[in-house]
Amino acid sequence: MASPAVTRTVRPLEGLHLTASGPPELTGPAVEHLRLLGAGAGEAQAEAASGAAPADPRDRATARIALSGAGFERQEAIVRWSGSPAGGMTDEATVQAATGIMAVHGRRDGAPRGLAVDYAATATGVLAVQGLLAALLAQARGGRPARVTTSADRAGLLTVSQYLAAAGADEGEAVQVAPGGPPFTSADGVLFELETLDPGAWAAFWRALEAPFGAVRAGWRPFQFRYATACAPFPPALHTTAGTHNWRRIEAAAAACGAEVCRLRTLDERAAEHDGAAPWSLTPHASGPRPRLAHHEAAPPRPARPLAGLTVLEAGRRIQAPLAAHLLGLLGADVVRIEPPGGDPLRGMPPTCSGISARWLALNRGKQAVEVDIKSAADRRRLREMAVGADVFLHNWAPGKAAALGLDSGHLAAVNPGLVYAYTGGWAGRIPDAPMGTDFMVQARTGVGEAARPRDEPPAPSLMTLLDVLGGLLGAEAVLAGLLLRERGGGAGVRVDSSLLAAADALTAPALRRARRGQDPRRPAGFRRPLRTADGWIAPTDTCAPAAAAYDLRELPTAAALAQLRAHGLSATAVTADPAELHHDRRFPGSISRDAHGAPAVPDPWSFL
């Protein structure tokens, strides 16, 4: 079909009608984002957002979200806890247990631990919105409507895909995977996170605090690799050293040495300062002609590849932007990765498969690569020329770097007025005097350290890269919204911005609502704490957990422990203690494959029928 005849669209879903039904845990995040993108609310949608439990037990595991109107045929997304009827996953706790989230998050503590936030459900909601936006975009480009399906278990596998890839690599980790890590505690009881990418700044900071030389030297490597391993077994002397200085002295040492420290903020503090901003911003280019869209392929996009024919230029590093581009590639876009001369140094980061970093492959397989020296004026001109034929330019450079290079949205819009220019950053300019915009610092600053753990545990940011992954999901969602806005706006390009701060706020949204109501924002003691069995761990559903905790299962094999709980009408599932176990887990039949390099690969998070 032709693009719908809407010429003054301010938001990409303006004029579309939204309905939703099913578990509020699955519909809530998606409905909120669709409303922010302009979709109008219907009665079913309002009911889903209210938090009321579905009356029909059959609807407790499946959500349905639909958009229609404004020239589009009805577009529906089916969202489930588990993509397999035999999966045994029926809520957030059991999804975290089965997909390996509990195992990775628990590495810091030496045993599986559940996240006290609804991480899998939040990711699932964003994936559902992505699927709907992609399917509407395909309709606008002449394709047929398709029913989108996604599930929380696939979202969970996506969030641990780097850890799964590393577990199935040809070699072991470059550092020890063992308990330990930040935060540190000052002499006056301040919990704080430390960040630096410079080994010299790391050493200078600890020398200023008079830490033993051997501990400083031994601590750098696990600190450097904590993003990859989700743990940081520091020498105890570093924690002891931090505990001998007050917070003011620690702040001064960091400032003098080029390192950064951040006090762990509370959820109450974050709720008090929250500005209510949407997870992303979409700003049409202010000047330049509105080009008539010329799609790159004669045939309309197929349902399974709704972005076919579109080109994404990605200049990303680490996780956030590369993951966003990876998702756009899974949806059918041609992704061209901009790498420095000699290629991305992270390609060689251990462990490897066929000589290529397994973690790098988890985010970048299937992308083309072009080496560009952005410090060279000639190469910057070449990059601008490449942008002329692209639909999306996506990056996560440091704040201000794009403008300094002449590669900001205004510069590229001048050569391609129809470009969707996407920036996935740290703070989105919303926090004054913000520290470095990295995952763990954002967790510390926004109260995620409190939200991730129940109230009987001290706050601590998860060493699983929660926000980098969720930030990448939001980045892809923002790009899809920008592309749809471009289609409905006659071809005018759009700048889209997303951030790790937005990911933190999306993840902690229920806790922040509790804080604003004057309630304790943290979950109760023991929340989502797995139960030990003779040979492993099991995780009850959230509703069954209080009753299940009354049984002593430590001498029973896992299968027998699950059977005993079932006999008493309680639901639980086995905890995946190591991501490597997912390869043979019967709860995910045929889900884990191997790519051309032999690296484990998780399934696409959506299906289009």
Side-chain angles (χ1 to χ4, degrees), residues 316-334:
R317 58 196 183 106
R318 289 185 175 255
I319 298 172
Q320 188 183 9
L323 175 59
H326 175 66
L327 292 166
L328 299 173
L330 294 179
L331 290 167
D334 295 319

Side-chain angles (χ1 to χ4, degrees), residues 359-570:
R359 291 190 183 88
W360 189 91
L361 287 168
L363 300 174
N364 296 293
R365 64 170 59 89
K367 299 177 183 178
Q368 304 174 53
V370 176
E371 294 183 14
V372 175
D373 183 2
I374 58 175
K375 298 178 182 178
S376 160
D379 270 16
R380 291 197 297 273
R381 284 194 298 270
R382 183 160 68 100
L383 185 53
R384 283 189 285 268
E385 291 169 1
M386 293 171 65
V388 172
D391 298 279
V392 177
F393 180 77
L394 168 67
H395 74 89
N396 64 341
W397 293 329
K401 183 174 182 178
L405 294 171
L407 296 171
D408 209 354
S409 55
H411 302 113
L412 297 189
V415 299
N416 181 356
L419 185 70
V420 173
Y421 183 99
Y423 179 51
T424 60
W427 297 105
R430 291 167 49 200
I431 298 291
D433 300 321
M436 190 183 304
T438 58
D439 189 308
F440 305 143
M441 294 294 267
V442 178
Q443 284 195 53
R445 177 62 179 75
T446 59
V448 174
E450 258 199 356
R453 290 178 174 263
R455 65 179 69 127
D456 61 332
E457 299 178 21
S462 175
L463 288 180
M464 182 177 171
T465 51
L466 302 182
L467 302 187
D468 272 334
V469 170
L470 190 53
L473 291 173
L474 290 175
E477 182 184 51
V479 168
L480 290 163
L483 286 167
L484 184 59
L485 182 58
R486 181 183 77 163
E487 288 283 345
R488 300 191 70 196
V494 182
R495 175 178 175 128
V496 301
D497 290 82
S498 60
S499 65
L500 298 180
L501 174 61
D505 287 343
L507 187 59
T508 59
L512 295 177
R513 285 194 290 268
R514 291 192 292 271
R516 286 191 288 267
R517 292 195 295 262
Q519 301 170 337
D520 189 333
R522 302 183 73 186
R523 307 312 292 263
F527 186 69
R528 290 192 187 142
R529 195 167 294 159
L531 304 176
R532 196 74 168 94
T533 66
D535 57 355
W537 303 82
I538 62 171
T541 62
D542 286 339
T543 56
C544 294
Y551 293 90
D552 186 352
L553 308 171
R554 288 172 295 179
E555 295 184 3
L556 293 177
T558 296
L562 291 171
Q564 178 172 324
L565 293 183
R566 281 196 299 270
H568 291 87
L570 302 175

Side-chain angles (χ1 to χ4, degrees), residues 575-604:
V575 175
T576 298
D578 184 337
E581 299 172 5
L582 292 168
H583 291 278
H584 313 292
D585 196 316
R586 287 186 235 177
R587 292 170 293 187
F588 306 102
S591 291
I592 311 300
S593 60
R594 297 270 181 176
D595 66 14
H597 300 278
V602 301
D604 290 2

Side-chain angles (χ1 to χ4, degrees), residues 162-435:
Q162 293 181 80
Y163 307 100
L164 170 61
D170 299 335
E171 58 187 5
E173 291 280 7
V175 294
Q176 181 186 19
V177 176
F184 299 96
T185 306
S186 69
D188 44 352
V190 175
L191 293 170
F192 68 93
E193 181 65 71
L194 167 68
E195 182 65 281
T196 178
L197 307 179
D198 178 5
W202 162 270
F205 170 77
W206 288 110
R207 283 200 302 268
L209 298 180
E210 301 178 331
F213 174 78
V216 175
R217 182 175 181 179
W220 168 248
R221 193 164 177 83
F223 178 82
Q224 180 186 27
F225 276 87
R226 71 198 190 285
Y227 282 91
T229 61
C231 61
F234 298 146
L238 297 184
H239 286 283
T240 302
T241 297
T244 62
H245 299 277
N246 64 33
W247 175 235
R248 181 175 294 183
R249 174 74 184 91
I250 289 166
E251 283 187 302
C257 301
E260 294 199 33
V261 291
C262 181
R263 173 177 65 83
L264 267 61
R265 301 290 184 104
T266 67
L267 289 163
D268 286 330
E269 287 178 293
R270 178 62 190 144
E273 72 174 0
H274 192 270
D275 57 9
W280 10 244
S281 62
L282 289 78
T283 309
H285 295 325
S287 60
R290 291 190 170 194
R292 185 175 180 274
L293 290 176
H295 299 308
H296 305 302
E297 56 176 23
R302 293 178 285 112
R305 293 178 56 82
L307 268 58
L310 301 182
T311 299
V312 175
L313 297 181
E314 176 233 315
R317 58 196 183 106
R318 289 185 175 255
I319 298 172
Q320 188 183 9
L323 175 59
H326 175 66
L327 292 166
L328 299 173
L330 294 179
L331 290 167
D334 295 319
V335 180
V336 180
R337 182 167 166 77
I338 307 303
E339 299 189 359
D344 186 347
L346 293 181
R347 286 176 180 266
M349 180 181 181
T352 62
C353 289
S354 302
I356 302 177
S357 169
R359 291 190 183 88
W360 189 91
L361 287 168
L363 300 174
N364 296 293
R365 64 170 59 89
K367 299 177 183 178
Q368 304 174 53
V370 176
E371 294 183 14
V372 175
D373 183 2
I374 58 175
K375 298 178 182 178
S376 160
D379 270 16
R380 291 197 297 273
R381 284 194 298 270
R382 183 160 68 100
L383 185 53
R384 283 189 285 268
E385 291 169 1
M386 293 171 65
V388 172
D391 298 279
V392 177
F393 180 77
L394 168 67
H395 74 89
N396 64 341
W397 293 329
K401 183 174 182 178
L405 294 171
L407 296 171
D408 209 354
S409 55
H411 302 113
L412 297 189
V415 299
N416 181 356
L419 185 70
V420 173
Y421 183 99
Y423 179 51
T424 60
W427 297 105
R430 291 167 49 200
I431 298 291
D433 300 321

